[in-house]
């Protein structure tokens, strides 16, 4: 069984250069892409959940909680949008034998979640929990 030509594989800009790498590397790249999508969905679900609790309870109903929910939702949307570009750039690097791109989303997610965690602690202290 031969691999499909680069004209039939999408996105074409990824498959038009280089040669197919070891399938294990492509599959690992795909798993990483799916892991980023899971992370994005978790952030979006957390944002929706926080806002649902915020609107349904009088105890936490504050614009700060809504702001936190919006931050989580926007983080999920951003990670979802950037993860495909990351997959394509990595796959292209694997195909052409170039160095892999640096992991930029890891720093964004790490520092972003740290900031959100600190905001939640401050918010809980201000609300008297």
């Amino acid at each position: 069984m031969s691999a499909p030509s680069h004209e039939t594989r999408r996105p074409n800009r990824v498959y038009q250069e280089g040669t197919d790498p070891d399938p294990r590397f492509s599959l690992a790249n795909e798993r990483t892409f799916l892991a980023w999508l899971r992370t994005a969905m978790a952030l979006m679900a957390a944002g929706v959940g926080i806002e649902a609790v915020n609107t349904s309870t009088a105890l936490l109903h504050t614009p700060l909680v809504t702001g936190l929910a919006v931050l989580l939702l926007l983080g999920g949307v951003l990670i979802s949008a950037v993860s495909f570009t990351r997959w394509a750039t990595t796959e292209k690097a694997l195909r052409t034998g170039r160095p892999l791109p640096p992991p930029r989303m890891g720093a964004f997610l790490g520092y972003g979640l740290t900031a959100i965690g600190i905001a939640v602690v401050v918010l809980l202290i201000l609300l008297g929990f």
Side-chain angles (χ1 to χ4, degrees):
M1 188 166 125
S2 64
S5 68
H6 70 272
E7 290 93 19
T8 60
R9 297 166 81 183
R10 299 286 184 248
N12 194 16
R13 65 183 162 93
V14 171
Y15 295 108
Q16 66 186 1
E17 291 182 45
T19 59
D20 285 338
D22 186 328
R24 292 176 293 180
F25 299 140
S26 290
L27 292 172
N29 188 28
E30 188 175 319
R31 283 192 300 273
T32 303
F33 170 64
L34 294 173
W36 282 116
L37 289 181
R38 282 192 303 272
T39 302
M41 285 190 295
L43 287 175
M44 288 189 252
V48 169
I50 285 174
E51 185 56 24
V53 170
N54 186 32
T55 56
S56 66
T57 62
L59 186 62
L60 293 177
H61 194 67
T62 171
L64 293 175
V65 177
T66 300
L68 180 64
V70 168
L71 275 177
L72 288 169
L73 284 167
L74 289 177
V77 168
L78 179 66
I79 288 174
S80 178
V82 173
S83 63
F84 184 74
T85 302
R86 167 77 182 170
W87 169 84
T89 304
T90 301
E91 189 67 23
K92 205 168 184 177
L94 289 170
R95 294 181 61 80
T96 57
R98 290 185 307 217
L100 296 178
R104 294 184 186 118
M105 285 194 300
F108 165 75
L109 189 60
Y111 291 128
L113 286 178
T114 299
I116 288 173
I118 290 171
V120 168
V121 169
V122 169
L123 191 63
L124 290 175
I125 290 171
L126 290 176
L127 293 173
F129 282 93

